[in-house]
Amino acid sequence: MLPVKMCISASAASRIIFQCLRFYCQKPPKKLRICEAVSSSDMGTNVKVQGWVRSVRHQKQNLFLHVNDGSSLQSLQVVASSQLNHRLLTFGSAVEVSGLLVKSPSRRQEVELQANQIHVVGECNPVDFPFKVKERHDLEYIRQFPHLRCRTNTFSSLLRIRSEATTAIQLYFRDKGYVQVHTPVITSNDCEGAGELFQVEPAFQEKQEEDGGQPFFSVPAYLVVSGQLHLEVIAGAFPGVFSFGPTFRAENSQSRRHLAEFFMVEAEISFTQSLEDLMKVMEEMFRSTTEHLLAQCPEDVALFHKHVTPGHNDNVDLMMKSSFNVITYTEAIDILNRSSQKFAFETDWGCDLQTEHEKYLVKHCGNIPLFVTDYPYTLKPFYARDNLDKPLHTVAAVDLLVPGVGELCGGTLREERLDLLKTRLALAGLDETYRWYLDLRRFGSVPHGGFGMGFERYLQCVLGVDNIRDVIPFPRYSHSCLL
Amino acid sequence: MLPVKMCISASAASRIIFQCLRFYCQKPPKKLRICEAVSSSDMGTNVKVQGWVRSVRHQKQNLFLHVNDGSSLQSLQVVASSQLNHRLLTFGSAVEVSGLLVKSPSRRQEVELQANQIHVVGECNPVDFPFKVKERHDLEYIRQFPHLRCRTNTFSSLLRIRSEATTAIQLYFRDKGYVQVHTPVITSNDCEGAGELFQVEPAFQEKQEEDGGQPFFSVPAYLVVSGQLHLEVIAGAFPGVFSFGPTFRAENSQSRRHLAEFFMVEAEISFTQSLEDLMKVMEEMFRSTTEHLLAQCPEDVALFHKHVTPGHNDNVDLMMKSSFNVITYTEAIDILNRSSQKFAFETDWGCDLQTEHEKYLVKHCGNIPLFVTDYPYTLKPFYARDNLDKPLHTVAAVDLLVPGVGELCGGTLREERLDLLKTRLALAGLDETYRWYLDLRRFGSVPHGGFGMGFERYLQCVLGVDNIRDVIPFPRYSHSCLL
């Protein structure tokens, strides 16, 4: 801080003279990110920072700014003589500040910047700017401004968390020797989730007509609903493979858990014969990613747990210190039928579990993640491995349900037995379409299985965010595709 | 190796007895990946490996197999008594082998597995299987079998390299403090690259009609041609951001350098005022990724440099030991005009550089990567920063051209000056459409710039692969969308 009293001690005066001398004699200021500046122990260094103003406070002789550059949640306090004030120095404006890093006299921060130069790089009219200084806008409000919401503390924390979670998941799989596969977005597979497919065609039909009316790809092409079948192809030559990318559903839904474009982590493991193996990977991935996030982004996660969903850290603690529960689908139906709660949807054996059921089951089992295994044969797609347990007749499928969200992951052992798969595909009239898939079982077939995790739902679960649109940079859903 | 001679020495006999005893007394075999087994120093351990048979050789008393599981290019040599032979033990079949890891008597490998059990998990009819034992099929042949080509050595090497290059790029940006952003695939921006857009609609039109004929997103929606504009949004609150994901062009091309769906690495850097800053990041990223690949996948890269494009390692060496060249567009045009070579396309100032020009320029400048800067204003999109150098009139744009491939990266400083951008957009009639983009300049605008790199072209450049379809797991191009 600049001296506020006019009469200063001799030692203070000499210190100021020394600092001024130092400033004029030394090399150009060292450019630092804000995260480096606030954690620096290099007091007296001449530095330059660049960022956006988060607050401005004038006193008679001094000017206090907080400058943030997105390198961390923390802003750097800048202290300057009020002579450096400028009418364009407002909340939201972009600035470049040079000066000396000094120990802050305040307990609120270790370090502050004594500015000797402040340059407003880009102005920001506070009347037009939709966010207001020192106001904590809620997620719904900031969602209206997809091109600006990253400039709020909450959303910039979310983006850092999302980036770090991406790294954590990729590191988890890499450490275990999985190969990352870029499964395609455009596919000619049209059978899975048929009712919810997006179709792809060149925007300008003239082109097609020149081409004799043939579709661009010669066959109808869609956006993938899952990379699983493509991952299974590659799993035919590797011990384990994974993908991490966008998937699509043309679902006409305004729910808080669905998007038309969302990210999926999918893994496929060769030579796997038990659901336990799959559950182990799902649980380990969840834990290792969450541990990584809590360790690498403690302040960003704390912002959510303090201001967005107060108390949610207790839920996360509970999930992290407990082993995940496991019940069969049959046990789940039994629990639902013995419950006194009235459900909107039926709970007969053979019915699919609805969100209300999933949430009840998770609560009933102690509010920690819950695996539900061995679903009815008729509920799961053709590739699910038959448990051959007639008359019950189930398949080796497992869903992971988590507090607040419901279904987070879904996985199955895949039917690797050529004869069984062939019969099932033939019954559905799909044996010609999936000839290539049958080939995978014809040439060096191995027992294998895999799962997919909705990445946005994972973030909802860990951060406690209610609406899925608030955990993705550019949400797409029916009637909305902004930017 | 099992003893071939019938009369064996006493010490050999006792060693065999010891090994048998050891086998029966000890715990179940330790499951190892092939990459762990071939590099193990733990001789005498009882292990189990799983994988696919790459070769089978029978001798009178012995059977030799090579088993590969995709964990590395290397296969494990398995030696077994011929009694363990089985008619289903063929090239391509999946096996599980248990036995003792021993030092190999051959110089070809350090370790081999003395099998006491071989289980054929999945058969593979060698007549129907499109790949033949010990044949090196060329890339064009294996491309016909997109669901099986990962089972060849070449393509499994490619997949490991691709995975490792993905990691390397992400680590490069993470280490430099960039935040990874998942830019969307579906977008309502329709202006950039207008002629080559894919449009997206739900596959089942009934749905739409129920909905009063409105498009699913209420506005026409397309597949992104670049994540740049979305990255620019996020760069408005961070020092640096990057994305790594699929992008799309409905280009009716059968070229060796184009795909309808390809991966792009894009970066956007805030507070950047010079093309030098951008070039530094491009060059550093190229070098650090390539160094990582050469260090982490030496055998896989060597397979390409030895068998697919013999001698290409010399080209890579040259690129790695030289500083990249820099010339302006104006200098490039001058070089082309002074050349004795006849070009199919014009080389007047103002004309776009074609592949033939790019390749000539790279060769002319020593066959190392070449930056070309400051392109004519009329050649680049609206967001390129005006150099205000009339009458020449150029923009701050830079392309990186590389040997064999041509354009690898393209970048620009972005026009951050509101008035200039507004005028340019208004002239193109786009000021209403890009109101949100203008907002980015209205509120805390900073000088910034960025670039995109075609990931497949990067792999072509480093591996020397001629056809882009051979460096992506599931290539999509006009008239082809297999699986």
Side-chain angles (χ1 to χ4, degrees):
Chain A
M1 260 175 76
L2 286 180
V4 187
K5 290 186 295 180
M6 288 307 287
C7 51
I8 49 173
S9 69
S11 75
S14 67
R15 210 167 55 234
I16 292 170
I17 292 166
F18 171 73
Q19 285 181 353
C20 291
L21 273 175
R22 195 170 157 164
F23 173 69
Y24 285 107
C25 300
Q26 74 194 355
K27 322 166 269 192
K30 194 174 156 192
K31 197 171 145 180
L32 288 188
R33 299 229 161 136
I34 302 285
C35 68
E36 294 164 336
V38 294
S39 63
S40 173
S41 56
D42 221 3
M43 296 307 141
T45 322
N46 185 24
V47 303
K48 180 165 92 176
V49 298
Q50 299 166 315
W52 293 269
V53 173
R54 283 284 206 264
S55 74
V56 194
R57 187 159 51 92
H58 308 103
Q59 284 184 354
K60 224 175 190 176
Q61 288 167 305
N62 289 327
L63 172 71
F64 295 87
L65 301 178
H66 279 102
V67 179
N68 185 287
D69 70 352
S71 62
S72 79
L73 178 59
Q74 280 187 62
S75 297
L76 176 66
Q77 169 152 303
V78 171
V79 189
S81 148
S82 56
Q83 291 165 339
L84 291 185
N85 198 10
H86 190 282
R87 68 176 177 85
L88 295 180
L89 208 51
T90 59
F91 175 65
S93 61
V95 292
E96 198 170 275
V97 185
S98 305
L100 294 179
L101 265 194
V102 298
K103 201 171 152 28
S104 172
S106 155
R107 281 201 193 156
R108 291 176 149 202
Q109 65 264 328
E110 294 283 313
V111 176
E112 61 186 33
L113 184 66
Q114 263 179 16
N116 47 50
Q117 212 173 22
I118 300 178
H119 170 51
V120 178
V121 177
E123 59 185 284
C124 181
N125 183 334
V127 179
D128 298 338
F129 194 51
F131 309 126
K132 302 306 165 197
V133 64
K134 300 233 163 162
E135 247 178 69
R136 193 171 291 284
H137 303 285
D138 65 25
L139 291 170
E140 207 168 327
Y141 176 77
I142 67 169
R143 204 189 302 140
Q144 299 172 71
F145 309 98
H147 61 311
L148 297 172
R149 68 173 169 166
C150 60
R151 303 184 187 201
T152 63
N153 276 340
T154 318
F155 210 71
S156 86
S157 279
L158 185 271
L159 289 169
R160 280 188 297 275
I161 291 169
R162 204 176 148 105
S163 175
E164 214 40 65
T166 305
T167 302
I169 288 167
Q170 288 173 324
L171 290 181
Y172 168 78
F173 283 113
R174 184 167 184 256
D175 286 351
K176 304 272 174 194
Y178 286 67
V179 166
Q180 180 166 6
V181 179
H182 296 124
T183 52
V185 162
I186 301 176
T187 177
S188 48
N189 296 333
D190 62 347
C191 293
E192 256 205 301
E196 299 162 357
L197 281 173
F198 283 111
Q199 190 155 2
V200 175
E201 268 306 313
F204 301 94
Q205 295 296 326
E206 303 85 85
K207 270 203 162 178
Q208 259 183 272
E209 278 152 29
E210 274 169 31
D211 212 19
Q214 265 221 331
F216 181 87
F217 292 109
S218 295
V219 292
Y222 309 94
L223 298 184
V224 280
V225 295
S226 152
Q228 179 202 318
L229 300 187
H230 299 101
L231 266 190
E232 279 194 68
V233 164
I234 311 294
F238 291 91
V241 289
F242 79 103
S243 66
F244 187 173
T247 48
F248 307 85
R249 305 277 155 90
E251 225 168 340
N252 208 332
S253 156
Q254 293 296 324
S255 111
R256 287 156 186 269
R257 307 191 320 147
H258 293 91
L259 289 168
E261 173 175 346
F262 60 100
F263 272 70
M264 277 245 272
V265 182
E266 296 186 87
E268 197 68 31
I269 306 145
S270 298
F271 294 99
T272 276
Q273 285 181 290
S274 74
L275 285 184
E276 283 69 31
D277 286 350
L278 288 189
M279 291 191 271
K280 199 176 149 217
V281 180
M282 291 188 221
E283 184 164 347
E284 261 184 21
M285 179 188 71
F286 183 96
R287 287 183 188 285
S288 109
T289 306
T290 310
E291 272 161 20
H292 179 107
L293 277 188
L294 296 174
Q296 298 292 320
C297 315
E299 294 167 344
D300 293 314
V301 173
L303 179 144
F304 278 88
H305 289 177
K306 212 171 145 188
H307 298 295
V308 180
T309 47
H312 191 68
N313 51 324
D314 292 337
N315 304 339
V316 174
D317 283 352
L318 182 64
M319 289 194 265
M320 292 303 280
K321 74 178 185 209
S322 325
S323 288
F324 293 4
N325 289 314
V326 189
I327 58 173
T328 63
Y329 168 86
T330 304
E331 287 164 341
I333 289 295
D334 201 41
I335 291 168
L336 294 173
N337 284 334
R338 278 189 287 121
S339 147
S340 57
Q341 191 171 315
K342 287 276 157 275
F343 297 109
F345 289 88
E346 278 180 44
T347 56
D348 292 337
W349 200 99
C351 292
D352 214 350
L353 297 181
Q354 303 295 327
T355 309
E356 57 169 352
H357 307 144
E358 291 171 352
K359 289 192 175 172
Y360 178 85
L361 289 168
V362 170
K363 216 169 239 167
H364 177 88
C365 296
N367 249 333
I368 50 175
L370 172 68
F371 288 113
V372 180
T373 68
D374 302 296
Y375 282 76
Y377 180 85
T378 48
L379 282 185
K380 295 287 174 183
F382 68 85
Y383 50 71
R385 194 176 198 270
D386 194 337
N387 279 333
L388 298 177
D389 57 351
K390 276 185 185 169
L392 200 62
H393 209 188
T394 62
V395 287
V398 56
D399 282 357
L400 176 58
L401 316 180
V402 294
V405 173
E407 187 189 340
L408 175 68
C409 302
T412 61
L413 296 183
R414 320 304 188 188
E415 187 57 82
E416 87 281 10
R417 294 159 296 188
L418 181 60
D419 50 343
L420 288 171
L421 188 61
K422 223 169 160 174
T423 313
R424 187 151 193 195
L425 281 172
L427 277 172
L430 293 173
D431 44 344
E432 264 312 303
T433 312
Y434 282 111
R435 219 184 145 80
W436 63 269
Y437 189 72
L438 287 167
D439 266 4
L440 305 181
R441 275 62 177 173
R442 224 168 248 130
F443 303 119
S445 179
V446 305
H448 65 289
F451 66 90
M453 177 179 87
F455 182 56
E456 282 77 21
R457 289 197 183 172
Y458 168 76
L459 294 174
Q460 284 187 279
C461 169
V462 171
L463 301 178
V465 172
D466 185 44
N467 196 322
I468 196 166
R469 299 171 193 175
D470 297 326
V471 293
I472 188 166
F474 301 93
R476 273 82 179 88
Y477 47 93
S478 63
H479 304 300
S480 182
C481 181
L482 297 175
L483 312 194
Chain B
M1 261 176 79
L2 287 180
V4 187
K5 290 186 292 177
M6 288 307 288
C7 53
I8 51 173
S9 69
S11 77
S14 68
R15 212 169 54 233
I16 292 171
I17 293 167
F18 170 75
Q19 286 182 352
C20 292
L21 272 175
R22 194 169 158 167
F23 173 69
Y24 286 107
C25 301
Q26 73 194 353
K27 319 165 272 189
K30 195 174 154 191
K31 197 171 144 181
L32 288 188
R33 299 231 161 134
I34 302 285
C35 68
E36 295 163 336
V38 293
S39 62
S40 173
S41 57
D42 222 3
M43 296 306 140
T45 322
N46 185 24
V47 304
K48 180 165 92 174
V49 299
Q50 299 166 317
W52 292 270
V53 173
R54 282 285 206 266
S55 75
V56 195
R57 186 159 51 93
H58 308 104
Q59 284 184 352
K60 227 177 189 174
Q61 288 167 305
N62 288 326
L63 173 71
F64 295 88
L65 301 178
H66 278 102
V67 180
N68 184 285
D69 70 352
S71 62
S72 79
L73 179 60
Q74 280 187 64
S75 298
L76 176 66
Q77 169 151 302
V78 172
V79 189
S81 148
S82 56
Q83 290 166 341
L84 290 185
N85 198 7
H86 188 283
R87 68 176 177 85
L88 295 180
L89 208 53
T90 59
F91 174 65
S93 61
V95 291
E96 197 170 275
V97 184
S98 305
L100 293 179
L101 266 195
V102 298
K103 201 171 152 29
S104 172
S106 158
R107 277 199 195 160
R108 292 176 147 204
Q109 63 264 328
E110 294 284 312
V111 175
E112 61 186 34
L113 183 66
Q114 263 180 18
N116 47 50
Q117 213 174 20
I118 299 178
H119 170 50
V120 178
V121 177
E123 59 185 284
C124 180
N125 183 333
V127 178
D128 299 339
F129 193 51
F131 308 125
K132 304 303 166 197
V133 64
K134 300 233 163 163
E135 247 179 69
R136 193 171 292 284
H137 303 285
D138 64 25
L139 290 170
E140 205 168 329
Y141 176 78
I142 67 169
R143 204 190 303 142
Q144 299 172 72
F145 311 96
H147 61 311
L148 297 172
R149 68 173 169 166
C150 61
R151 302 183 189 202
T152 63
N153 276 341
T154 317
F155 210 71
S156 83
S157 280
L158 184 272
L159 290 168
R160 279 187 298 275
I161 290 168
R162 206 179 146 103
S163 175
E164 214 42 63
T166 305
T167 302
I169 288 168
Q170 288 173 324
L171 290 181
Y172 168 78
F173 282 113
R174 183 166 183 257
D175 286 352
K176 303 273 173 193
Y178 287 66
V179 165
Q180 181 166 5
V181 179
H182 296 123
T183 51
V185 163
I186 301 177
T187 177
S188 49
N189 296 334
D190 62 347
C191 293
E192 255 204 299
E196 299 163 357
L197 281 172
F198 284 111
Q199 189 155 3
V200 174
E201 267 308 311
F204 300 94
Q205 294 297 325
E206 303 86 85
K207 271 202 160 174
Q208 259 183 274
E209 279 151 27
E210 275 171 30
D211 213 18
Q214 266 224 328
F216 181 87
F217 291 110
S218 296
V219 291
Y222 309 94
L223 298 185
V224 281
V225 295
S226 152
Q228 179 202 318
L229 300 187
H230 298 100
L231 266 190
E232 279 194 67
V233 165
I234 311 295
F238 292 91
V241 291
F242 79 104
S243 67
F244 188 173
T247 47
F248 307 85
R249 303 277 156 89
E251 223 168 340
N252 208 332
S253 156
Q254 294 295 322
S255 110
R256 289 157 184 268
R257 306 191 319 146
H258 293 91
L259 289 168
E261 172 176 345
F262 59 100
F263 273 69
M264 276 245 271
V265 182
E266 296 185 88
E268 196 68 33
I269 305 147
S270 299
F271 295 99
T272 276
Q273 285 180 289
S274 74
L275 285 183
E276 282 69 31
D277 287 350
L278 288 189
M279 291 190 269
K280 197 176 152 219
V281 179
M282 291 188 220
E283 183 164 348
E284 262 185 19
M285 179 187 72
F286 183 96
R287 286 183 189 285
S288 108
T289 305
T290 310
E291 273 162 20
H292 179 107
L293 277 188
L294 297 174
Q296 298 293 318
C297 315
E299 294 167 343
D300 293 313
V301 173
L303 179 143
F304 278 87
H305 289 177
K306 213 171 146 188
H307 298 295
V308 181
T309 47
H312 191 67
N313 49 324
D314 292 337
N315 304 339
V316 175
D317 283 351
L318 182 64
M319 288 193 266
M320 293 302 281
K321 75 179 184 209
S322 324
S323 288
F324 292 5
N325 289 314
V326 189
I327 58 173
T328 63
Y329 168 86
T330 305
E331 287 164 341
I333 289 295
D334 199 41
I335 291 168
L336 295 172
N337 284 334
R338 279 188 288 122
S339 148
S340 57
Q341 191 171 315
K342 286 276 158 275
F343 297 108
F345 290 88
E346 279 181 43
T347 55
D348 290 338
W349 200 99
C351 292
D352 214 351
L353 298 180
Q354 303 295 327
T355 309
E356 56 170 353
H357 307 144
E358 292 171 351
K359 289 190 175 171
Y360 179 85
L361 289 168
V362 171
K363 217 169 238 168
H364 178 89
C365 296
N367 248 333
I368 50 175
L370 171 69
F371 288 112
V372 180
T373 69
D374 302 297
Y375 282 77
Y377 180 84
T378 49
L379 281 185
K380 294 288 174 183
F382 67 84
Y383 50 70
R385 193 175 199 272
D386 195 338
N387 279 333
L388 298 177
D389 56 351
K390 278 187 187 169
L392 201 62
H393 209 190
T394 62
V395 287
V398 56
D399 283 359
L400 176 58
L401 316 180
V402 293
V405 173
E407 187 189 339
L408 174 68
C409 302
T412 61
L413 296 183
R414 320 305 187 186
E415 187 56 81
E416 88 281 10
R417 294 159 295 187
L418 181 60
D419 49 344
L420 287 172
L421 189 60
K422 223 169 159 175
T423 311
R424 187 154 194 192
L425 281 170
L427 275 172
L430 293 174
D431 44 342
E432 262 313 303
T433 313
Y434 283 111
R435 219 185 146 81
W436 63 269
Y437 190 71
L438 287 168
D439 266 3
L440 305 181
R441 274 64 176 170
R442 221 168 249 131
F443 303 119
S445 180
V446 306
H448 64 291
F451 67 90
M453 178 181 84
F455 182 56
E456 282 76 21
R457 290 198 182 170
Y458 168 76
L459 294 174
Q460 285 187 278
C461 168
V462 171
L463 301 177
V465 172
D466 184 46
N467 196 322
I468 196 166
R469 299 171 192 174
D470 296 327
V471 293
I472 189 166
F474 301 93
R476 273 83 180 86
Y477 46 94
S478 65
H479 304 301
S480 182
C481 182
L482 297 175
L483 313 194

